Amino acid sequence: MSPLTILLVGSGGREHALAWKIAASPLTRRLVMAPGNPGMAKLGETRPIKATDTPALVALAREIAADLVVIGPEAAVDAGLGDALAEADIPCFGPTAAAGRLESSKAFTKAFADRHGLPTGAYRVCEDAESAKAALDGFSPPYVIKADGLASGKGVVIAETRAEATAAIDDAFGGRFGAAGARVVIEEFLQGEIGSCFALCDGTHSMIFGSAQDHKRAFDGETGPNTGGMGTYSPAPVFTPELVDQVRTRLAEPTFAGVAAEGAPYRGVLFVELMATSEGPKLVEFNVRFGDPECQVLMLRLESDLVPYLLACAIGRLAELPPPRWRPQSAVCVVMAAEGYPDSPVAGSIIRGAEQDFGPDVVVFHAGTARDEDGVLRAAGGRVLNVCALGATLKDAQDKAYAAAARIDCPGGFYRRDIGWRALGR
Ligand code: GLY
């Protein structure tokens, strides 16, 4: 394969991890990132174009004669970048907006699961607060209240009491999640252990591409509000070979067949968020991109070159590739978040120590950072940095990640101290 010019779209920790792996590939001739972040800027060229500015991204792909465009965030999928690139005949890793409804509408996904026999929990879709409150009668606590649309992982409330559930419904219809909360899905709370499993698809062929476990709550001991994810580790013992096989046959493959049958063949990565229950895996939700911060631990553990897999999804050649090779070590990612995350993160504090040399097993990905006019690194988002480490064991990886985190000064920020607790407590 001749070396490629690659355009990577996005600016978070997930995209920094993808850029890190793409830049290390001998198949990458030129890496351009839009908009990128200060960490990504060290790996290639960045251009200040938003991930949702589809016409400008297509123009950039043409300008640099991109051989491949890699879509990081769901917002770009939803804005139709995959569709526009298909029209321009530019290979793209990332689905069309129609396939992207698997993430952009929770109500669509639940109905899709019904149509295609995917195991998932009971649900009700509600168009107004009154009917949503009445629908709670059909569920028992804890209540799961979800904004229908895209809400950066923050549109889910797990309410322990009816009063909390009612308040969450009022919040959603009161505009807390903007247009994403104009419709609400109430779901059965599934009992079991949560997991994140990834599958690639090239429109026809598919393969499992790693798994991890995320910690969604803001604070230690799974307390506090739901977030986009406060830390991950991989491998996670919940993913036995049997469970991974069930995810493949009961969730991923029927989904790829289903979207193709409905006219929107899937090209890219499908993130299956599942509950491992006594009856096997049940779908919690789909995302149409790599998980953030799941991607970070997957990239640390991925021994194979990532680029052939991204390209194969884009051009329909996945069947020619072997399953990816994973390093036997464990990887941990600790998210350093800004004060006030997830509700009202405080921006602007000066970050010190993030760019020092932490040794060969530690990588710090930038998630929400910016450089000011003096070149000083500052917090510029809810999740600021991802401190990641590889170790011979999970405990070893955890120790290395926390030792590195302790050397970074992120004033007012916070991070969980218990990433990996489920596996370590087994
Ligand atoms: N970590 C969960 C997500 O990416 O949505």
Side-chain angles (χ1 to χ4, degrees):
M1 195 188 294
S2 43
L4 308 174
T5 293
I6 298 176
L7 171 60
L8 171 63
V9 175
S11 61
R14 167 186 47 219
E15 287 78 23
H16 190 177
L18 290 170
W20 179 72
K21 198 66 186 153
I22 291 170
S25 169
L27 295 174
T28 303
R29 177 177 46 209
R30 182 178 179 196
L31 173 60
V32 180
M33 297 157 283
N37 66 36
M40 294 165 76
K42 295 185 172 171
L43 297 169
E45 304 159 51
T46 57
R47 301 287 182 94
I49 300 172
K50 283 195 182 132
T52 48
D53 190 346
T54 301
L57 290 169
V58 175
L60 175 60
R62 281 207 178 99
E63 176 202 319
I64 64 171
D67 300 297
L68 172 67
V69 177
V70 178
I71 302 182
E74 63 276 19
V77 173
D78 196 45
L81 182 56
D83 307 74
L85 290 166
E87 228 158 82
D89 215 14
I90 299 170
C92 171
F93 177 86
T96 59
R101 281 178 301 172
L102 289 172
E103 176 164 4
S104 62
S105 171
K106 309 287 174 260
F108 172 85
T109 299
K110 283 293 200 179
F112 179 91
D114 285 349
R115 287 199 295 283
H116 296 283
L118 310 180
T120 188
Y123 70 101
R124 279 282 302 277
V125 179
C126 305
E127 308 283 344
D128 59 68
E130 203 184 327
S131 62
K133 288 175 195 171
L136 293 174
D137 286 343
F139 296 85
S140 40
Y143 302 97
V144 182
I145 319 289
K146 286 187 179 173
D148 177 51
L150 297 178
S152 307
K154 288 167 269 181
V156 180
V157 175
I158 315 283
E160 298 297 334
T161 64
R162 182 99 181 200
E164 281 171 33
T166 300
I169 289 167
D170 283 333
D171 269 0
F173 285 108
R176 180 171 176 197
F177 307 114
R183 194 151 59 149
V184 155
V185 183
I186 300 180
E187 296 184 11
E188 176 189 355
F189 181 81
L190 296 171
Q191 298 287 350
E193 188 168 336
I194 193 90
S196 304
C197 192
F198 299 86
L200 300 182
C201 186
D202 67 1
T204 309
H205 299 282
S206 63
M207 73 168 67
I208 292 291
F209 202 74
S211 60
Q213 192 170 65
D214 188 13
H215 297 65
K216 303 282 267 185
R217 298 292 190 111
F219 309 129
D220 285 14
E222 307 308 327
T223 58
N226 247 49
T227 69
M230 291 300 293
T232 43
Y233 66 101
S234 176
V238 65
F239 282 105
T240 59
E242 185 194 10
L243 180 68
V244 173
D245 213 48
Q246 289 171 342
V247 174
R248 181 175 65 77
T249 56
R250 298 182 193 178
L251 289 166
E253 289 176 352
T255 298
F256 293 136
V259 284
E262 294 185 10
Y266 200 97
R267 284 188 192 89
V269 61
L270 181 71
F271 167 1
V272 183
E273 188 181 331
L274 60 105
M275 195 64 80
T277 75
S278 53
E279 296 161 7
K282 289 195 178 176
L283 178 67
V284 174
E285 57 188 53
F286 285 129
N287 298 302
V288 296
R289 34 83 190 173
F290 278 112
D292 188 350
E294 286 91 337
C295 186
Q296 289 81 321
V297 286
L298 292 189
M299 292 306 111
L300 255 71
R301 288 197 57 231
L302 183 63
E303 196 171 4
S304 304
D305 189 344
L306 175 65
V307 170
Y309 290 89
L310 300 175
L311 182 67
C313 287
I315 61 173
R317 308 283 285 268
L318 200 54
E320 296 170 20
L321 294 182
R325 290 185 316 279
W326 301 100
R327 295 195 170 88
Q329 291 104 315
S330 285
V332 165
C333 170
V334 175
V335 171
M336 301 186 93
E339 181 181 358
Y341 177 74
D343 287 333
S344 37
V346 178
S349 57
I350 295 180
I351 303 161
R352 292 190 178 85
E355 295 174 299
Q356 63 185 290
D357 182 1
F358 292 98
D361 294 335
V362 174
V363 189
V364 176
F365 295 120
H366 291 228
T369 68
R371 272 192 215 287
D372 65 19
E373 58 277 10
D374 299 319
V376 175
L377 196 66
R378 292 181 182 269
R383 293 184 292 176
V384 179
L385 294 170
N386 306 146
V387 184
C388 303
L390 266 183
T393 61
L394 175 58
K395 180 75 176 72
D396 186 32
Q398 192 197 48
D399 287 347
K400 286 179 184 163
Y402 282 121
R407 292 166 60 189
I408 299 172
D409 183 24
C410 190
F414 69 99
Y415 55 91
R416 281 183 58 162
R417 313 279 164 157
D418 62 350
I419 302 304
W421 68 266
R422 279 195 189 86
L424 292 172
R426 275 174 187 245

